[in-house]
Amino acid sequence: MTEPKTKPTLLIYIAGRFRGPTPWDVEKNIRAAEEVAFQVWSLSTQLTGGYVAALCPHMNCRHWDKTLSDDIWLAGGLALLSACDAVVLVPGWESSKGTVAEVGLARKSGLPVFYSWDQPEKGLADWAAFAAWAQREIIQRGMNDANG
């Protein structure tokens, strides 16, 4: 029996601040990241030949704030990032030391970094660039898969 062909899927890391001065501020940061993650997943409906999937670490540890040291969370986030194809930033990311480190690692590793659609000034144009990049990557990966 042959395995079904799968479409190329890009894994996109959602980067943005997590911590906040109150539990409600943390929750608002998580919800902002969730919104960006959903928009990334939704982009799949506009692509031909493949998909994009969002990896949103905020959702992975929603109620665990202050349960372990920041070093553990940051190291885990960087490990997750290393498995991804690109990064999309949540508005307000600049105020997070962890996100700044994630962006630095992404750029050092050659991963493309994009702003979400609702970022002031850069957002819509960069979101269009993200969509175009994703489509090119999917086409390229599909061709590579077809050529074995």
Side-chain angles (χ1 to χ4, degrees), residues 11-136:
L11 187 57
I12 311 301
Y13 188 87
I14 307 303
R17 59 179 184 236
F18 180 86
R19 289 182 228 98
T22 69
W24 178 238
D25 290 314
V26 173
E27 182 64 23
K28 289 189 294 187
N29 292 338
I30 293 167
R31 289 180 184 189
E34 286 176 329
E35 177 63 26
V36 172
F38 181 74
Q39 293 302 324
V40 167
W41 280 99
S42 297
L43 183 61
S44 291
T45 64
Q46 301 170 29
L47 301 174
T48 303
Y51 306 107
V52 289
L55 175 61
C56 185
H58 303 72
M59 296 167 66
N60 194 40
C61 53
R62 168 176 242 124
H63 301 291
W64 300 345
D65 188 33
K66 299 187 180 21
T67 58
L68 299 171
S69 77
D70 287 349
D71 291 343
I72 293 171
W73 299 121
L74 296 174
L78 294 175
L80 292 170
L81 172 62
S82 69
C84 293
D85 299 299
V87 175
V88 173
L89 300 170
V90 178
W93 68 273
E94 304 91 338
S95 65
S96 166
K97 287 191 282 186
T99 306
V100 169
E102 291 168 340
V103 169
L105 176 64
R107 290 187 171 138
K108 183 178 177 184
S109 302
L111 295 179
V113 176
F114 299 97
Y115 295 91
S116 65
W117 74 99
D118 56 353
Q119 296 263 348
E121 298 176 26
K122 302 174 186 173
L124 286 176
D126 211 47
W127 189 253
F130 168 61
W133 169 84
Q135 185 64 73
R136 284 192 309 273

